[in-house]
Structures are given as structure tokens and as C-alpha cells.
Amino acid sequence: MTSFLEQAGPKPYQRCLVMCGGGFRFGYYLGVYAAMEEHGHKPDLLLATCGAAIAANVIAGLETDAQRRAWLDSEAMFAFWQSLRWNPRQSMITVSRSLLKRWATPPQYKRIPDLYQDFLFSVPGELPLPPLPEQAGSDVAVIAGKILYPQHATGQWRSAPWFEETIFTNSPQLQHLHGQLSPVSAAFLPHSRVAPQLSVIQTTDMADAARASVSDMFYFPCHRSPHGDFLGGVTDLFPMEIASALATEVWMERKAEYDWFKSLPAVRRVLGFNGNYRLRKMMQSPAAAWIDTSDMETALVDHQIRMKADWRQNRIHLSLPEKYEQFLAMNRLQWEYGYQRGMQTIASLPKAV
């Protein structure tokens, strides 16, 4: 079968920064971007998944690093974190049962999970993001997975593809990818439940795109957009092939593997494929620069947002910053981590002759 790159057409961008997830720690992407911009490596395309979609909108929507950091530190962002709420339908028993079921589920299992109600935390309807100007410093593309079955089909057996890999973008320069083979479809990943073709949606509402990408099969519910219902950027968390089809120069993250008990089974249960196999395959691809964030779990252990089991209240708590000063300290740590990783990457680049 023809590879994705062989059929993708001309490359409209010079440099693409691929922002792979980040979860609750998406602030470090602002530091990575600041280092690239400061040293003449500013990307003209930001390709983001999951939490990184928030950072991509902040970067493209504001002109300077000082403005971006001020937005990250804003009262609106602090209020956003505080607004995350535990799903009352869940309990420690239901969460434990769900984890065990996902761990034991083989890739061939075809019963549709409930992405509408089986989640841990609710997300506000709108994310507090700056609007993108008509002439943003970098174009933005955000990955999500459109749900191809109706909500009432939850719990039923279904062999047909469940999701369609979708690229939301504010730029017309990605339209040539519409209809191309998805790099996470069954053509490339055994047991994948992603449809063969990519979909590209050009939109001015990139905040809606970010909300779609933030959705998750474990933490947050799917997102109901005017364009359909969406699972998040986890559909294609490492979109190296898409970046390579769009830009001459790709800057990619070197990520840690999924944990074997929680994240890896969740990906397999919902998307059908092995997430670590996908990650390893991506890491073998050529890139102009690799940004090593594989130590993020240990490097950002201070001031991070964690989940804590509370058996007495029969729920899970998010250890959110209670005070605004703690919130600022968390953001500073994330930005500095990203900046240092960006600087290390720049220092490792071949010197121009």
C-alpha cells in the first residue's frame, strides 16, 4: 500500500513544531516556542494534540512571549483549572472496575465504550483562549477524532471504524490532506478503529478545535462540536507523518512511553492499536530536531496537578493549586522546563557551514 508521505503532495510550510499532548502540563510548550523564536527557529506551523492544543492557541493568538506568559498566569486560566469537577456518576469502585476491564480487553474487542458518560472530570464549555488574529505568527493545526457512531450505539458491537482522524486548522494550506490515508488507520496499525481517510476542517473557531482535542477516553468526556462529536487528540498523539507531509523541517518531541496499566490499555480498548508500538514507530522517523521531554514526569514533579484516590469520599481528587501563588509557581516551572529543553535541542543542531 502507498505510504502516507508518498501521496501527500507539496509541502507548504518551512518549519513545523509538533506538540504532542502534555496533559495538564501544556505550559512548557510556551517555553519551547520562546527558545525557538529567540534563536531564529520560529515555526510557521504548530501541529498540536490534546492539552498542547491550548498552548498552540495561546502562542498563535498573542504576539510576544510576555503576553503569552501573562495569559497562562491569568485569573481566567486559574479559574479554568478550578472549574474541573468530578463526574458524580463515577466512584472508586466504577473507576477500578473500568481500569481492570480495559487492562484485560484484547484488541479484537468490538463493544463500543461510553465516551459520553464514562469519564472522570467535566470540562467547562468554553476554554479561556485568545482569539486568533487574521495574520497569526504561526498557523495552527489541531488533531481530534470524530466519532462515527451515534450515542445510542454505546454498548453495541460494531466492526466498522469508530473514529475519523480530523485536522482542524485556521489555514487553507492543509486542504490537500483531506481524503488522504490516516497514518493511524488499520492500513498502518493492526486492529485500529480509525477510518482510512483523513478529514480536514478549516475553521476560525480554533477554541472549539482545542476543546475537541482536549477530550479523552479516560479523563474528560467527548466534545459536542458544530462539526460532530469528538474524541481528543489521543486519536493520533504523535502526528509525525502529517507534520512531515506539511513542512520541510519538523521539530518533534521525544516522549516517554505510555504506562502499562492505565494509559496503554485505555488506548487499546478505544482505538484498537498499541500506543507504544505507535510511539516507537514514530521515534524511528527522521526529524530535523528532537525535543527530549521524556523525563517530564520526574522533572515537573513539583507543583504538578495529580490525581489522588480518596476512598473515604469514594472519588478521585485533582491536586489543583489552591492558591494563586501556587498556580504561578507551577506555570513558571513548566515554562522554564520547556525553555531549557528547547535550548538543549538548539545547541545540538548541526552548525551551519
Side-chain angles (χ1 to χ4, degrees):
M1 179 169 290
T2 305
S3 73
F4 179 84
L5 292 178
E6 287 173 342
Q7 60 175 320
K11 301 181 180 183
Y13 294 96
Q14 171 61 32
R15 183 177 298 111
C16 174
L17 172 61
V18 186
M19 304 159 70
C20 308
F24 296 119
R25 309 178 186 93
F26 57 80
Y28 76 83
Y29 289 110
L30 275 65
V32 171
Y33 188 90
M36 293 177 68
E37 188 175 42
E38 182 179 310
H39 291 271
H41 299 284
K42 180 178 176 180
D44 49 352
L45 176 65
L46 304 174
L47 178 58
T49 63
C50 294
I54 298 176
N57 275 266
V58 173
I59 290 169
L62 298 170
E63 189 173 349
T64 68
D65 180 61
Q67 291 173 327
R68 296 169 198 137
R69 296 187 70 175
W71 190 279
L72 190 68
D73 291 342
S74 67
E75 296 282 356
M77 288 298 290
F78 182 60
F80 164 71
W81 286 118
Q82 298 296 325
S83 68
L84 299 177
R85 292 290 181 267
W86 171 253
N87 180 4
R89 295 175 58 90
Q90 297 281 17
S91 67
M92 291 304 302
I93 293 175
T94 61
V95 171
S96 300
R97 185 186 299 131
S98 177
L99 285 171
L100 290 172
K101 182 184 292 186
R102 290 174 177 178
W103 183 80
T105 298
Q108 299 86 351
Y109 191 75
K110 302 293 185 181
R111 191 182 295 276
I112 296 175
D114 190 349
L115 301 177
Y116 293 85
Q117 300 185 83
D118 186 14
F119 61 89
L120 297 185
F121 303 99
S122 61
V123 182
E126 294 185 7
L127 299 176
L129 297 174
L132 296 187
E134 290 187 11
Q135 298 294 326
S138 301
D139 285 345
V140 178
V142 168
I143 302 289
K146 185 175 183 179
I147 298 174
L148 298 179
Y149 56 84
Q151 183 177 357
H152 63 75
T154 293
Q156 298 178 9
W157 290 85
R158 180 185 175 99
S159 296
W162 296 358
F163 309 103
E164 179 181 62
E165 184 175 2
T166 303
I167 308 172
F168 290 90
T169 181
N170 65 334
S171 169
Q173 299 200 75
L174 279 70
Q175 284 298 329
H176 70 287
L177 295 184
H178 187 81
Q180 300 286 355
L181 273 176
S182 166
V184 292
S185 65
F188 303 105
L189 296 174
H191 309 296
S192 174
R193 300 194 178 103
V194 180
Q197 281 77 38
L198 281 170
S199 174
V200 177
I201 297 175
Q202 186 180 342
T203 178
T204 58
D205 191 358
M206 291 303 292
D208 176 70
R211 177 62 188 84
S213 194
V214 165
S215 300
D216 186 78
M217 75 269 289
F218 185 70
Y219 295 107
F220 305 125
C222 61
H223 174 57
R224 290 188 151 168
S225 162
H227 303 284
D229 296 347
F230 287 89
L231 176 67
V234 68
T235 305
D236 187 1
L237 196 60
F238 317 110
M240 174 61 123
E241 299 90 344
I242 293 173
S244 297
L246 291 170
T248 304
E249 186 180 312
V250 175
W251 288 48
M252 189 79 188
E253 282 186 83
R254 194 178 299 280
K255 305 284 282 189
E257 292 195 346
Y258 288 100
D259 72 89
W260 67 273
F261 182 71
K262 183 182 65 178
S263 302
L264 192 62
V267 172
R268 183 182 65 230
R269 168 68 180 91
V270 177
L271 295 172
F273 56 78
N274 184 312
N276 282 338
Y277 172 81
R278 166 67 179 155
L279 174 60
R280 292 166 195 153
K281 185 178 179 181
M282 181 275 295
M283 298 277 271
Q284 296 171 0
S285 303
W290 289 95
I291 304 166
D292 191 350
T293 59
S294 59
D295 67 341
M296 184 172 59
E297 288 286 342
T298 54
L300 295 180
V301 68
D302 294 332
H303 304 292
Q304 69 173 311
I305 297 175
R306 304 177 185 173
M307 292 195 304
K308 293 184 178 179
D310 187 336
W311 290 96
R312 181 174 298 177
Q313 295 189 22
N314 197 25
R315 55 170 289 181
I316 292 175
H317 288 289
L318 279 178
S319 59
L320 297 163
E322 296 181 1
K323 298 181 179 179
Y324 184 62
E325 292 74 18
Q326 296 172 326
F327 173 69
L328 296 180
M330 179 185 75
N331 291 340
R332 283 195 297 270
L333 183 66
Q334 291 184 12
W335 187 94
E336 186 62 33
Y337 172 82
Y339 183 81
Q340 292 299 329
R341 292 301 179 273
M343 292 295 292
Q344 291 171 7
T345 302
I346 292 167
S348 69
L349 295 176
K351 304 299 181 184
V353 179

